[in-house]
Amino acid sequence: MSFALATGTASPASRDSDAARRPGPPDVGSVGVRLVDVPADLIRDPRARQYVIDNLKPGTTVSRRIEVSNTSESGLHVSLYSGAADIVRGSFVGAPGNTGNELTTWIKLRRRSLDIPAHSVARDTVTIAVPRDAAPGERYGVVWAQVSSRHKDGGISLVSRTGIRVYLSVGGNNPPLPKFTVDTMTAARDRDGRAVVQAQVHNTGGRALDLAGTMKMSQVSGSLSAGPYEVQLGTTLAPDQSQPVRVVVTDRVDDGPWDVSLSLKSGLLRETYRARITFPHNPGVAAAVRSRHQQPNALHPALIAVPTALALLFAVALGITLSYRRRGRDKPA
């Protein structure tokens, strides 16, 4: 498998994998970890720059380089290990401590620890070896970089860790496709009177999703439009899971009705869904409304018909012109 260089720095999501942080030593947040390598066939996928994402056949072994950084004023001893993870209620959650799962038995790090001077970085290699008898399916884990310290009185150690998510699918020649649907949208107002939209997303594909996106609104009776508004980040769905994604309308808007266009993405997958909603006048939740899928690059029939008609007219005119020219050549001198 060929690789390309990952040039981006670790984002907050890739630094802690959205997994549970523990109380840290004085240098909390001073340790970062990021991927150095990205598979060439995934170089355009933004998720592949943050996380280890792969679809492998049984018996396959791959390696990825990681870079661990120390931004503190002193040297740090950093432990490296892999841990179990799962997707629970829309969040990617790393298991506490050194809890393992099937995937962690396939992951090996070249070194178990790194001694990194102040304001320096060090690299290590993560190797994943899929057994020949591995069952198909997707598995989740985290490659952790951990710093520990102990109170001066010899009390309990304080631990701070940050990690890179691992999404590993075991299959055949063709990786399972990522797919999702937005089944319903629900309009609400929170206690402060802000308009909020919740969209129920169902992962209908074979890979986990990390959802992001934007929402736009247009007034049904009027020319007012609003947005785009950012989808609140942090929603991750395993295959066949369903969870709501939330969008807060940061402008003061009336009750509506509004035509809503919600565009969601996960990696290279992008889908847009529409619905007509009405916000409650007071804090509360309205009834859920069925959403409909908007086909990408869909054109209005009239926009298709006009160019087609023009092309036909041009063809007819060209045919008539060529016919006259042939008749002129065929006339006797």
Side-chain angles (χ1 to χ4, degrees), residues 149-211:
S149 69
R150 185 171 293 277
H151 288 299
K152 294 179 180 180
D153 59 3
I156 300 174
S157 293
L158 298 176
V159 176
S160 175
R161 64 180 187 174
T162 181
I164 298 174
R165 303 182 192 184
V166 180
Y167 298 83
L168 183 68
S169 174
V170 177
N173 294 327
N174 298 317
L177 292 175
K179 293 190 298 182
F180 65 85
T181 59
V182 177
D183 299 329
T184 61
M185 296 191 201
T186 304
R189 287 194 187 274
D190 62 17
R191 294 179 179 178
D192 298 323
R194 295 182 305 174
V196 178
V197 176
Q198 285 198 156
Q200 191 71 22
V201 182
H202 182 200
N203 184 348
T204 58
R207 301 300 304 268
L209 304 172
D210 293 296
L211 295 168

Side-chain angles (χ1 to χ4, degrees), residues 2-319:
S2 58
F3 290 89
L5 181 67
T7 57
T9 57
S11 70
S14 63
R15 284 173 60 91
D16 61 15
S17 294
D18 290 340
R21 279 182 174 269
R22 293 180 176 276
D27 287 311
V28 169
S30 60
V31 178
V33 59
R34 72 177 185 93
L35 279 174
V36 177
D37 300 315
V38 178
D41 56 345
L42 294 176
I43 191 63
R44 296 178 58 192
D45 187 340
R47 293 176 72 233
R49 291 176 172 271
Q50 293 182 314
Y51 315 131
V52 177
I53 299 174
D54 238 319
N55 179 75
L56 302 177
K57 297 179 183 179
T60 304
T61 298
V62 296
S63 295
R64 302 284 182 86
R65 290 178 300 166
I66 62 172
E67 183 177 273
V68 183
S69 60
N70 173 11
T71 60
S72 72
E73 300 297 329
S74 58
L76 292 176
H77 180 77
V78 181
S79 299
L80 302 175
Y81 63 96
S82 62
D86 202 355
I87 297 175
V88 182
R89 293 189 296 275
S91 296
F92 189 100
V93 180
N98 293 335
T99 304
N101 59 9
E102 184 184 28
L103 175 57
T104 62
T105 65
W106 306 349
I107 300 175
K108 303 296 181 185
L109 289 106
R110 188 163 58 90
R111 289 180 285 181
R112 293 187 178 182
S113 63
L114 298 170
D115 290 302
I116 309 176
H119 302 291
S120 300
V121 299
R123 289 184 176 180
D124 197 14
T125 301
V126 179
T127 300
I128 304 175
V130 182
R132 294 186 180 278
D133 60 351
E138 190 169 50
R139 296 159 174 85
Y140 312 115
V142 183
V143 175
W144 291 109
Q146 178 175 300
V147 177
S148 303
S149 69
R150 185 171 293 277
H151 288 299
K152 294 179 180 180
D153 59 3
I156 300 174
S157 293
L158 298 176
V159 176
S160 175
R161 64 180 187 174
T162 181
I164 298 174
R165 303 182 192 184
V166 180
Y167 298 83
L168 183 68
S169 174
V170 177
N173 294 327
N174 298 317
L177 292 175
K179 293 190 298 182
F180 65 85
T181 59
V182 177
D183 299 329
T184 61
M185 296 191 201
T186 304
R189 287 194 187 274
D190 62 17
R191 294 179 179 178
D192 298 323
R194 295 182 305 174
V196 178
V197 176
Q198 285 198 156
Q200 191 71 22
V201 182
H202 182 200
N203 184 348
T204 58
R207 301 300 304 268
L209 304 172
D210 293 296
L211 295 168
T214 57
M215 184 187 76
K216 296 180 180 179
M217 305 194 313
S218 60
Q219 215 171 28
V220 173
S221 56
S223 58
L224 185 63
S225 61
Y229 305 106
E230 296 288 334
V231 171
Q232 289 188 345
L233 299 179
T235 301
T236 299
L237 294 180
D240 204 35
Q241 286 187 350
S242 180
Q243 286 289 329
V245 298
R246 191 169 184 262
V247 185
V248 176
V249 179
T250 53
D251 297 311
R252 303 294 295 185
V253 296
D254 60 25
D255 299 342
W258 296 87
D259 283 329
V260 172
S261 176
L262 177 66
S263 297
L264 294 176
K265 63 181 180 179
S266 177
L268 299 178
L269 175 63
R270 288 169 170 78
E271 300 285 4
T272 299
Y273 280 79
R274 303 179 68 88
R276 179 165 292 182
I277 62 173
T278 301
F279 295 103
H281 189 67
N282 298 312
V285 180
V289 176
R290 285 281 176 188
S291 59
R292 60 190 184 278
H293 183 241
Q294 178 177 307
Q295 295 293 336
N297 301 323
L299 294 177
H300 192 279
L303 297 178
I304 299 174
V306 171
T308 303
L310 290 175
L312 289 174
L313 288 174
F314 176 77
V316 171
L318 181 61

